[in-house]
Amino acid sequence: MIMLDDLYRKIVMDHAKYKRNYGAMDGERDIHKIHYKNPTCGDMMVLYLSVKEGRMEDLSFEGEGCSISMASCSMMTELLKKHTVGECLKKRRAFERLIREGHREDGIELGDAASLQGVHTLRARHNCALMPWQALDRWLKEQKI
């Protein structure tokens, strides 16, 4: 199990250091911009979404925070691109269960985000891992989804 933990740690650190989809989104498309601040530690982010015909066409983020929160932002933006809003909701619920309960849901692919499973044992870091997903929740609530 130690080798697997080391692999997961490397994946998390890679996403934290080399953030995927980092930067403001601009262009001709309709872009949603969601500001979010982690209430427990002060990490902050801006999530950018471009949704077309019920599908996450593109996602990106800007922000500052700990390795866990920045890696989670990077992982989430990669994971949700090109998926329908309904698929994103399923992945969102599965990821929260992974973090809060430490359990993976069968049939729901979480990609690199699954490497954050160990955060389950660090209760104080749950909100760090969940930060981008909570920003997504804010957008879903605004859209009444």
Side-chain angles (χ1 to χ4, degrees):
M1 188 66 165
I2 291 174
M3 289 174 51
L4 188 57
D5 289 343
D6 288 343
L7 174 63
Y8 285 169
R9 190 174 297 112
K10 286 178 183 177
I11 292 169
V12 171
M13 294 312 295
D14 186 67
H15 274 274
K17 188 173 181 179
Y18 304 105
K19 298 170 189 78
R20 282 64 154 184
N21 307 304
Y22 189 85
M25 196 183 295
D26 57 8
E28 298 291 317
R29 55 197 162 176
D30 186 21
I31 298 169
H32 303 275
K33 184 175 175 182
I34 304 96
H35 294 268
Y36 193 82
K37 184 175 182 180
N38 184 336
T40 57
C41 70
D43 291 359
M44 49 195 232
M45 69 167 301
V46 178
L47 178 63
Y48 299 91
L49 304 170
S50 174
V51 182
K52 186 175 181 180
E53 298 175 6
R55 189 171 295 278
M56 294 288 176
E57 184 176 86
D58 201 5
L59 296 96
S60 69
F61 75 100
E62 295 179 301
E64 294 181 13
C66 69
S67 296
I68 293 172
S69 67
M70 293 296 99
S72 186
C73 290
S74 176
M75 292 170 181
M76 185 193 84
T77 57
E78 276 200 323
L79 180 66
L80 300 184
K81 274 187 185 184
K82 307 300 180 198
H83 288 279
T84 66
V85 173
E87 292 166 337
C88 292
L89 283 168
K90 288 178 185 175
K91 290 178 186 294
R92 192 266 178 261
R93 284 190 291 270
F95 184 76
E96 181 158 12
R97 184 165 188 232
L98 179 78
I99 297 302
R100 299 224 187 262
E101 301 171 22
H103 300 292
R104 292 188 189 196
E105 288 193 27
D106 292 335
I108 309 261
E109 177 57 45
L110 293 176
D112 285 353
S115 67
L116 289 167
Q117 184 172 4
V119 173
H120 163 68
T121 62
L122 307 168
R123 190 173 176 95
R125 305 305 294 274
H126 286 191
N127 281 336
C128 298
L130 291 169
M131 183 174 75
W133 300 89
Q134 291 168 342
L136 178 66
D137 286 345
R138 184 173 286 171
W139 176 77
L140 291 166
K141 187 174 182 180
E142 289 171 4
Q143 302 301 307
K144 296 180 174 54
I145 296 174

